[in-house]
Amino acid sequence: MIYSLTFLIILANYGSVFCYEGSIDEELLIKPLQSNQVYAHFQFSTKWDIDPEKETFRHSSLFPRPIGELIQRFDIQELHVTLTGGLWRYEKWGYPVVDAATGAEVLAWFKPGSDVDTNWKLLANSLSGLFCASLNFIDDLNTIKPEFSFRPRGVVDSKFINSSHVRYANLPHEIVCTENLTPWKKLLPCDSKTGLASLLNSGHIHNTRYHSVGLHLRPVCRDKSCESLSLELQQTVSLVYDYLILGTKNWSLRKLFGQGVNRKCVLVNKSDIYVDTTLTDVELEPAPDKTVTSIRGGQTTVLQKYEVTNTFLNIYAKYQNADVVPLNLPPPLHANQYLSGYGQERGGIVTKIYNNHWKELDVVLLQNIPWFIPIYLHTLKVVSNGKELKPLQLRYIPARQRIRPNYLEVLLRLPARTSTSVVIDFDYVFLKWQEYPPDANFGFHIGSAVISCYLPVAKNYTAVPWDMTLISDSFNASRNGYLVEIRTENLIITLPTPDFSMPYNVICLACTVVALAFGPLHNITTRKLILKSNKKVQLVEKIKKLLNSLSKTKEE
Amino acid sequence: MKLAPLDITSNIDNTITKYTNVKSTKILRTLQLFIKMSVKIRAAYTNSISTSRIIFTCLAAVIVRYYLMLSKYQTVIANHVEVSTPLNSWKRVSEGLYLISKNINPYEGDVLHETPLSLYLYKNILLVFQDRIHLAFITFDVATAIILFFTTKKFNWDLFVEEENNKETFAKDAVECFLKPEKLFKSSYYVLLTYLFNPFTLFSCVGYSTTVFYNFYLAVMMFCMVHGISVICGIFLALAASVSFYPVVLILPVTMYFKYAIKSNFKIIINLFSFITTSVLIMLMCTDFGKDFSYIRNVYGCILTVPDLQPNIGLFWYFFTEMFEHFRELFIYAFQINNTILYLVPISLRFRKHPFLLTVAINFIITIFKSYPSVGDVGFVLSVVPSFPHLFPFSQQGFLVGTMLIISTSLAPILYYLWIYCNSANANFYFGVTLSFAVAQIFLLTDLLFSQVKRDYMLKYGKNRKIDGEEGILCLE
């Protein structure tokens, strides 16, 4: 009896060890943008209070197990994956909560001492399976190790911050669709049946101007003292709805997502909806639970807070004066990228960075240019309002054909209120005919440039501070700097094509020319010049001769 | 004026035969030859071109080049694929030098295909000429022309002397195909003119292609070859070979020249020795004494495996664009063997008596079939052709070759523009032009070699072509 009691106690103790310590919070930020769009950002944050170093990831309850397996198998320190369709227009829309490049983008930090290159390839393949995306096309041809642009977002021993542990790749031609969203939703504890996730209906997501699905994994401090670590997984969805597509400026949850929130997911800690009403004079129905005013980095934001309960919730926003268009104030820093030149021989990649701030800004420009665009570093020109700028730092690893891309990172100090263009020339390459895709004349993508900067003001800024997790943490969270990682447009370049229909002809013709040299040279070198009778032998005589010789041989 | 020295010769001949009136002894014959020669030398000098004329020609060439280089057409010319290939474009050299200045190994990327030695040379040339880099190109180009002038002058003189020596062995009625000194000694001036003013070399120089330096090495090599300066010949052959690899095979014709024209086995050994020593030294210098072999992949790897398929005037680019992947290796071997060692031995054996022609022919084969030829290479071999005026009467395809060269040269940039900029043509158009350009060069080469064969026949058997009382035809059998 005593034995069985002790056994029970031991079991209970073990039970407390296995007991899940963590939380999941879901938030939705709805922000009418200054132009004719409304921005909806979903964030599902799972925090797991375990030591990422020691955990075996065999058991998990709220935390998705496939992600745990990835961490354990590939020695991941930090992982950021985004799948994006459409382009975020910084100039008109300000900064999003999470920056993402058009197409697929993967950034991973690996634990020191692991076999980074192998793990990176395996990770890409696993993610490809996990999200049903073509992330398996990530290989040496499009992977770079940026030195300045990215820093770990989570807690890390600073002596291990080294570009040899980071890998970054983007697949600009990746098309994001429903098939990527479904597996992504499966990672949530309540799936998409209850809670905010029930708003994510594929049909209403993919008719937006911009949609981005993301997954961000990082170790964070468990509490203020930061004596122990937790693992944080953020799953985000960013959507930009266009009023023109919606047909009206007055939006509602039902209009945007097809349905309202049914009830709260029981596993979730906090389930909140915030509606930004700073710029617009809008009447909300039902009335918000709370009004939050946030003053952050010189910008005041007014937000209406709704708490999701077990009753049905559909927020309806009605504009008081639909004709009022708010003045568009461009954010302190934004950028564009385009191709210059004409024809298919020589061109240039131009990245134009606008500094609208009243002070100079230090930015890092990162370019990941595929190998089939050989760039000339000596043509790199940074011109700011007619004056040439000298890069503060420059990192360049030239491309190798069919092996690795061009990696270029430039550290610039942009003068106040200027537009700076960074121009670099390249040559158009002629590929082998089997290297062209089936739609060869569609062109090849060049991924977007990444411009990172610590902004001194939080104008048009919505991102969550680094040391925090939730959107609600970003209220009144003034810091010394606000990190933005601006992604520019993708480029399409049409390389000159050969004639795909005639490999045989080309081989035959070129070999004929070689034979034209071989024939005479062979004759000249192996034969002797002799004088020959010019008499033409008649055909009849030839036959006679032949017959004669034949009859002779018979007689013999 | 011109007839006078020849008259004197016949007079002397008569007097010598009159006075001896016995079986001419060996000494007398030598004397006779010597006197003949001295008169011929005078004839040669009176007929050859005055120095002022040469200087004037060079000055004109400098002015034309200088004008074009400072005009807006310089970039247009430099950007043409016919002028600048991945191997010789100055833009890539600038990139390489810039990368070095930024402490980035230029051989890590694919842009640079020049050897470290060449880069070192260009760096110093830039230091000497500062911003006036065009002057460096003009200097080297004109120097090449002058060296070629003296090379062919010496070659023609040697040719003439040899023929004078062997006149007895020739057929009696072959007189009309004997060398005509007044024509022969003018030919080196034509070489100078052709080099300085043919559009191929002109554009190559104006377009800052590094073929200018390569041509300079080849010219010095040939100059030393005909003058029998075996040490320097080996050094410059090694330099040329280090730049473009293919000239390695020229070691055979050079050896042939020392063997059959200069008749000195010692010089062969010296030449070989200096070639090998210089090659090893260059290799040591380029690899930073065995530390860094990365340039080999970029320079020789690029020349031999043709990874860059940018169009040029050669045969490789489209062939290997359209090649099936599993046959690529086979055809790379086939094409590289074709332009290096396939014709090397047979031609060397057949034309061992004409080692200068042999050198030119092998250089010509390299130019036609090399992986990244540019017009600078073609211009170089074309400008040596005028030094064979004695072969022209036997050539049959001069008109055809001339027409093909002119038409394909003028069509190439047009069709390239239509393909790349207007999108109204495709790669096949340009490919067709490069094919005809190659065919023209091949016809010129085979015509030249065949002319030499025919001339040899003529000198040996005379111009009588009667067989059994009827007109016969000459053919190879």
Side-chain angles (χ1 to χ4, degrees):
Chain A
M1 185 66 199
I2 293 164
Y3 282 119
S4 61
L5 243 176
T6 24
F7 179 71
L8 265 177
I9 291 163
I10 289 166
L11 204 70
N13 278 337
Y14 267 104
S16 72
V17 169
F18 283 128
C19 177
Y20 188 85
E21 286 178 12
S23 59
I24 178 159
D25 300 284
E26 51 182 38
E27 286 170 305
L28 166 63
L29 173 73
I30 298 176
K31 184 187 176 193
L33 297 172
Q34 280 163 332
S35 43
N36 285 321
Q37 285 86 23
V38 59
Y39 170 45
H41 179 80
F42 291 82
Q43 183 170 305
F44 304 87
S45 327
T46 317
K47 206 171 164 191
W48 190 7
D49 294 339
I50 46 124
D51 189 351
E53 298 291 324
K54 289 173 190 154
E55 178 61 39
T56 54
F57 298 99
R58 291 228 179 97
H59 304 282
S60 65
S61 63
L62 285 179
F63 194 86
R65 208 191 128 145
I67 304 293
E69 275 176 19
L70 291 186
I71 301 168
Q72 193 250 331
R73 222 179 267 174
F74 308 126
D75 288 328
I76 293 164
Q77 173 81 24
E78 251 189 71
L79 175 67
H80 303 273
V81 186
T82 53
L83 298 164
T84 311
L87 176 73
W88 184 270
R89 311 224 167 242
Y90 289 90
E91 197 180 346
K92 288 180 179 168
W93 301 349
Y95 300 112
V97 181
V98 177
D99 294 284
T102 310
E105 198 178 23
V106 184
L107 170 73
W109 287 85
F110 293 90
K111 282 174 190 156
S114 58
D115 182 2
V116 177
D117 286 313
T118 323
N119 280 346
W120 170 247
K121 266 173 225 154
L122 292 172
L123 171 71
N125 281 296
S126 306
L127 287 175
S128 163
L130 196 63
F131 291 119
C132 296
S134 328
L135 295 171
N136 52 323
F137 285 110
I138 290 176
D139 50 19
D140 295 336
L141 291 179
N142 45 30
T143 303
I144 52 170
K145 307 170 208 170
E147 206 166 311
F148 305 122
S149 292
F150 302 114
R151 282 280 163 274
R153 297 229 168 180
V155 181
V156 68
D157 197 342
S158 61
K159 68 175 179 235
F160 292 126
I161 302 179
N162 186 331
S163 66
S164 63
H165 299 140
V166 68
R167 292 291 180 278
Y168 172 76
N170 61 352
L171 299 173
H173 50 268
E174 178 71 12
I175 293 160
V176 183
C177 202
T178 339
E179 67 199 23
N180 308 121
L181 187 71
T182 316
W184 180 91
K185 281 197 286 195
K186 292 227 166 94
L187 300 175
L188 294 168
C190 289
D191 206 337
S192 57
K193 288 172 192 75
T194 53
L196 292 180
S198 63
L199 296 177
L200 298 171
N201 298 308
S202 306
H204 289 79
I205 281 181
H206 295 287
N207 62 4
T208 48
R209 283 276 303 268
Y210 169 90
H211 53 89
S212 171
V213 176
L215 182 141
H216 306 271
L217 180 84
R218 60 172 187 172
V220 290
C221 290
R222 199 171 293 178
D223 44 32
K224 282 254 164 70
S225 63
C226 209
E227 274 164 357
S228 50
L229 292 180
S230 296
L231 203 59
E232 181 203 280
L233 175 73
Q234 283 200 342
Q235 287 180 259
T236 58
V237 177
S238 293
L239 306 164
V240 174
Y241 288 89
D242 200 304
Y243 293 140
L244 284 173
I245 298 173
L246 290 176
T248 165
K249 241 180 143 176
N250 302 326
W251 54 264
S252 68
L253 287 189
R254 198 167 190 157
K255 188 118 199 155
L256 297 178
F257 308 111
Q259 66 181 70
V261 191
N262 229 342
R263 61 199 148 90
K264 193 180 166 186
C265 167
V266 285
L267 297 166
V268 162
N269 200 15
K270 213 162 80 173
S271 183
D272 296 335
I273 299 176
Y274 298 95
V275 181
D276 189 325
T277 54
T278 320
L279 289 168
T280 43
D281 187 13
V282 61
E283 188 187 306
L284 290 171
E285 203 190 303
D289 300 327
K290 204 177 157 190
T291 300
V292 188
T293 310
S294 154
I295 302 168
R296 184 191 188 193
Q299 170 162 297
T300 316
T301 321
V302 183
L303 295 129
Q304 312 298 335
K305 184 181 175 188
Y306 290 88
E307 272 171 32
V308 177
T309 54
N310 276 334
T311 52
F312 179 80
L313 176 69
N314 179 26
I315 302 167
Y316 178 73
K318 197 177 173 210
Y319 279 79
Q320 302 295 56
N321 194 345
D323 298 332
V324 174
V325 179
L327 196 66
N328 184 19
L329 288 168
L333 185 77
H334 60 96
N336 292 113
Q337 184 176 248
Y338 56 89
L339 288 174
S340 67
Y342 64 96
Q344 294 179 320
E345 200 174 13
R346 256 163 281 274
I349 298 173
V350 185
T351 315
K352 216 153 193 189
I353 314 170
Y354 299 87
N355 177 9
N356 300 319
H357 191 55
W358 54 273
K359 247 171 80 182
E360 52 188 21
L361 290 175
D362 287 350
V363 299
V364 182
L365 168 68
L366 171 72
Q367 297 261 28
N368 178 1
I369 300 168
W371 66 262
F372 43 80
I373 296 152
I375 55 174
Y376 291 93
L377 192 67
H378 76 276
T379 62
L380 179 78
K381 228 182 214 163
V382 186
V383 180
S384 180
N385 278 18
K387 266 188 284 176
E388 196 151 327
L389 274 188
K390 265 206 127 175
L392 301 178
Q393 278 283 349
L394 189 92
R395 288 285 179 279
Y396 174 60
I397 297 175
R400 265 225 176 275
Q401 287 197 338
R402 298 166 185 100
I403 293 177
R404 63 152 190 256
N406 290 292
Y407 151 67
L408 176 70
E409 221 168 6
V410 190
L411 193 61
L412 295 169
R413 180 160 290 163
L414 307 179
R417 295 188 193 284
T418 50
S419 68
T420 307
S421 51
V422 183
V423 190
I424 193 156
D425 288 355
F426 67 89
D427 278 353
Y428 285 72
V429 153
F430 296 75
L431 302 176
K432 298 172 190 167
W433 74 293
Q434 283 166 328
E435 283 173 336
Y436 288 91
D439 52 347
N441 286 309
F442 172 78
F444 292 79
H445 286 271
I446 306 177
S448 56
V450 181
I451 295 145
S452 317
C453 176
Y454 263 113
L455 291 176
V457 289
K459 210 162 96 185
N460 271 337
Y461 190 75
T462 48
V464 179
W466 276 28
D467 47 346
M468 300 290 187
T469 304
L470 305 176
I471 291 176
S472 55
D473 293 335
S474 70
F475 304 150
N476 295 315
S478 288
R479 296 285 186 277
N480 290 333
Y482 305 90
L483 180 87
V484 283
E485 285 171 357
I486 294 169
R487 264 68 166 182
T488 62
E489 296 90 341
N490 287 337
L491 303 173
I492 287 187
I493 161 174
T494 38
L495 296 180
T497 53
D499 186 344
F500 295 105
S501 61
M502 52 182 284
Y504 287 104
N505 304 1
V506 171
I507 293 167
C508 291
L509 288 169
C511 287
T512 308
V513 172
V514 174
L516 271 180
F518 182 81
L521 286 176
H522 177 255
N523 277 343
I524 291 168
T525 48
T526 55
R527 295 178 183 193
K528 230 176 153 183
L529 195 65
I530 54 157
L531 200 58
K532 220 177 152 187
S533 165
N534 199 14
K535 220 163 73 183
K536 277 196 180 116
V537 190
Q538 297 283 314
L539 185 67
V540 185
E541 278 178 35
K542 263 189 188 171
I543 296 169
K544 265 185 192 168
K545 224 178 177 179
L546 192 76
L547 285 174
N548 278 340
S549 62
L550 275 177
S551 57
K552 264 180 197 168
T553 44
K554 264 184 189 173
E555 276 165 24
E556 279 165 15
Chain B
M1 230 355 237
K2 273 182 191 172
L3 285 172
L6 291 173
D7 285 350
I8 293 167
T9 337
S10 51
N11 285 343
I12 292 167
D13 276 3
N14 292 337
T15 37
I16 287 171
T17 35
K18 258 183 206 167
Y19 278 96
T20 48
N21 210 9
V22 264
K23 250 183 166 185
S24 51
T25 57
K26 220 178 182 179
I27 304 159
L28 268 177
R29 280 185 71 181
T30 347
L31 185 71
Q32 188 184 4
L33 195 74
F34 178 75
I35 295 165
K36 255 192 202 170
M37 297 288 287
S38 65
V39 175
K40 296 272 171 164
I41 289 166
R42 274 181 56 203
Y45 269 117
T46 45
N47 286 319
S48 68
I49 312 300
S50 64
T51 324
S52 58
R53 204 161 159 189
I54 293 164
I55 292 170
F56 177 73
T57 313
C58 291
L59 263 180
V62 169
I63 290 165
V64 170
R65 279 165 169 71
Y66 192 75
Y67 172 74
L68 277 175
M69 278 171 169
L70 291 189
S71 73
K72 61 182 175 183
Y73 301 110
Q74 197 278 327
T75 37
V76 179
I77 293 167
N79 281 344
H80 266 285
V81 285
E82 296 88 359
V83 176
S84 297
T85 66
L87 246 60
N88 71 4
S89 90
W90 187 250
K91 194 179 176 186
R92 289 174 188 254
V93 172
S94 324
E95 172 76 1
L97 292 175
Y98 184 79
L99 288 181
I100 288 177
S101 75
K102 292 269 164 200
N103 271 331
I104 301 168
N105 181 1
Y107 299 104
E108 237 177 66
D110 274 320
V111 170
L112 187 71
H113 304 294
E114 301 272 353
T115 58
L117 181 70
S118 310
L119 267 191
Y120 180 75
L121 181 80
Y122 303 143
K123 204 168 138 188
N124 284 308
I125 286 174
L126 276 172
L127 277 180
V128 171
F129 286 88
Q130 303 289 352
D131 290 334
R132 290 178 293 278
I133 185 67
H134 47 278
L135 293 182
F137 280 95
I138 294 175
T139 316
F140 273 90
D141 213 31
V142 172
T144 310
I146 294 168
I147 291 167
L148 272 187
F149 170 77
F150 286 113
T151 310
T152 46
K153 200 169 183 179
K154 174 81 166 78
F155 158 66
N156 285 333
W157 177 248
D158 288 349
L159 194 74
F160 181 70
V161 170
E162 204 198 327
E163 195 165 291
E164 288 296 313
N165 281 336
N166 298 333
K167 243 176 190 166
E168 287 84 50
T169 59
F170 295 152
K172 294 239 162 43
D173 58 348
V175 186
E176 65 184 58
C177 69
F178 282 175
L179 295 171
K180 292 172 189 69
E182 68 272 15
K183 242 186 182 176
L184 192 66
F185 293 124
K186 254 187 189 162
S187 71
S188 51
Y189 179 64
Y190 292 134
V191 168
L192 183 80
L193 273 184
T194 325
Y195 189 83
L196 287 176
F197 293 105
N198 89 57
F200 297 137
T201 37
L202 187 64
F203 288 155
S204 170
C205 176
V206 172
Y208 293 170
S209 92
T210 57
T211 309
V212 169
F213 301 101
Y214 170 68
N215 285 348
F216 177 75
Y217 301 149
L218 279 185
V220 176
M221 190 275 283
M222 280 162 76
F223 177 82
C224 297
M225 182 181 81
V226 295
H227 285 86
I229 312 167
S230 50
V231 179
I232 301 175
C233 179
I235 292 172
F236 274 86
L237 183 57
L239 270 174
S242 81
V243 170
S244 134
F245 180 74
Y246 293 119
V248 166
V249 296
L250 286 177
I251 190 72
L252 191 60
V254 170
T255 310
M256 290 286 184
Y257 198 91
F258 286 127
K259 173 101 179 113
Y260 290 97
I262 294 179
K263 301 187 177 68
S264 157
N265 284 337
F266 177 68
K267 281 189 173 166
I268 295 177
I269 294 161
I270 290 291
N271 174 53
L272 269 176
F273 179 75
S274 94
F275 171 71
I276 292 166
T277 324
T278 320
S279 296
V280 170
L281 280 177
I282 290 174
M283 193 81 164
L284 275 177
M285 206 202 139
C286 287
T287 56
D288 201 5
F289 294 95
K291 275 179 222 148
D292 183 14
F293 288 89
S294 56
Y295 91 99
I296 289 182
R297 177 199 159 125
N298 265 35
V299 181
Y300 307 120
C302 180
I303 291 169
L304 294 177
T305 63
V306 209
D308 196 325
L309 299 166
Q310 191 195 54
N312 54 43
I313 53 169
L315 292 172
F316 276 67
W317 66 276
Y318 205 42
F319 188 75
F320 287 104
T321 302
E322 297 272 14
M323 180 50 61
F324 298 98
E325 201 54 46
H326 45 283
F327 288 135
R328 176 174 298 269
E329 219 161 310
L330 169 78
F331 276 101
I332 280 179
Y333 277 111
F335 268 53
Q336 299 291 13
I337 288 171
N338 173 56
N339 70 346
T340 48
I341 50 176
L342 179 64
Y343 306 118
L344 182 65
V345 176
I347 290 190
S348 299
L349 290 177
R350 186 74 163 94
F351 295 96
R352 61 184 182 280
K353 297 274 169 58
H354 311 285
F356 189 78
L357 177 70
L358 175 67
T359 318
V360 174
I362 287 179
N363 200 13
F364 212 152
I365 291 173
I366 292 172
T367 305
I368 300 169
F369 292 115
K370 78 199 278 192
S371 44
Y372 296 98
S374 76
V375 288
D377 300 310
V378 181
F380 182 82
V381 280
L382 283 187
S383 56
V384 190
V385 171
S387 65
F388 304 106
H390 53 290
L391 300 181
F392 293 164
F394 298 93
S395 92
Q396 289 174 318
Q397 287 158 337
F399 176 71
L400 182 72
V401 169
T403 323
M404 280 173 93
L405 279 181
I406 290 170
I407 291 180
S408 52
T409 315
S410 46
L411 272 184
I414 298 171
L415 293 178
Y416 190 74
Y417 188 84
L418 286 181
W419 169 32
I420 296 295
Y421 288 95
C422 303
N423 268 322
S424 54
N426 67 17
N428 300 343
F429 290 61
Y430 192 74
F431 173 61
V433 169
T434 57
L435 280 188
S436 77
F437 193 70
V439 169
Q441 292 177 73
I442 289 167
F443 280 1
L444 180 58
L445 169 70
T446 51
D447 203 22
L448 209 59
L449 292 179
F450 198 43
S451 303
Q452 182 66 58
V453 173
K454 278 193 276 192
R455 184 168 187 270
D456 287 349
Y457 179 88
M458 191 81 147
L459 287 176
K460 200 169 177 188
Y461 301 107
K463 62 172 189 173
N464 177 28
R465 295 201 181 165
K466 290 266 163 63
I467 186 164
D468 302 336
E470 281 176 58
E471 196 69 33
I473 48 160
L474 278 175
C475 64
L476 287 164
E477 224 163 56

